[in-house]
Amino acid sequence: MKHLPQINLFYWALIISANTMGETAGDLISQTFNLGYGGGTIALITLFLIALIISICSNSQKPLLYWMVVTLASTAGTTISDFISRSFFHLELGFTENEGYTFGTILLTAALLFIFGIWKYHSKTNTIENGLNKRTEFLYWIAILTSSTLGTAFGDLLAHNTPLGFEGGTLLLLLLLSVVVGLVYLTKISRELLYWSAIILTHPIGATMGDYLTKPEGMNLGNINASLLLVVVFIVVIATGQLTKNRQFN
């Protein structure tokens, strides 16, 4: 059985950093590198599946591999979401781009609920706390990929279909995330339910933050500069977490 990395402040900081980096890197691959949403999705899904197979075949949880799969899931989720919302619903079916975000969000919510249903059918225990076998680890990563895709679609929905925009959408999602954190400390609600609630919220947070960094409506850094900045932030968070961990054992 494999256990997740210790779920603490640094874990969630890395999750948000990876999701934000995934948003900008996904746009970098599909837009700046001109692979398109379809080509970018194929390339990133291939890399994700390779990393997923390596992770499942590994006998122990390796932190570097874990965060690599998280980042690839977030990056692939960005291009998949854009392909569903913009290419499929908008360009192929003729809906408006804003309607594409709405239909994409509904479709991906249903897909995520379906995956959770399969997971609960195969595992009656709290696998987040008790560990993952090979089957539940596979379902865990598919749920992470799907929630990443949903997060991008929902983040776009908030930013484009509501008056909140990128900045307001991010603030609202951070507020909702703080409510989930409060429930962890103040209630006895299932920790697995709260974990996935937080995971689902961190993906659109990363999507809206990434768009705020890259788009003209935000800081207008562009995909390349924003991606480089977020790689540095990701490394700093990892280094800070490792230094803190080392000091605790000294």
Side-chain angles (χ1 to χ4, degrees), residues 4 7 12 115-116 119-132 136 139-140 143 180 184 188-200:
L4 300 183
I7 300 175
W12 291 113
I115 292 167
F116 284 147
W119 190 334
K120 296 310 292 184
Y121 176 79
H122 286 292
S123 177
K124 307 300 181 184
T125 61
N126 187 334
T127 52
I128 299 302
E129 293 181 349
N130 298 331
L132 305 167
T136 53
L139 291 171
Y140 171 83
V180 173
V184 171
K188 295 183 179 180
I189 296 175
S190 165
R191 292 303 181 259
E192 187 164 15
L193 175 61
L194 293 176
Y195 171 84
W196 282 109
S197 298
I199 283 289
I200 291 168

Side-chain angles (χ1 to χ4, degrees), residues 14 16-25 28 71 75 213 221 223-239:
L14 282 171
I16 293 175
S17 298
N19 291 334
T20 310
M21 184 166 56
E23 175 71 18
T24 61
L28 178 71
T71 304
T75 309
L213 288 172
L221 294 178
N223 293 325
I224 295 177
N225 291 334
S227 296
L228 291 174
L229 173 63
L230 290 166
V231 168
V232 173
V233 170
F234 192 71
I235 293 172
V236 168
V237 174
I238 290 177

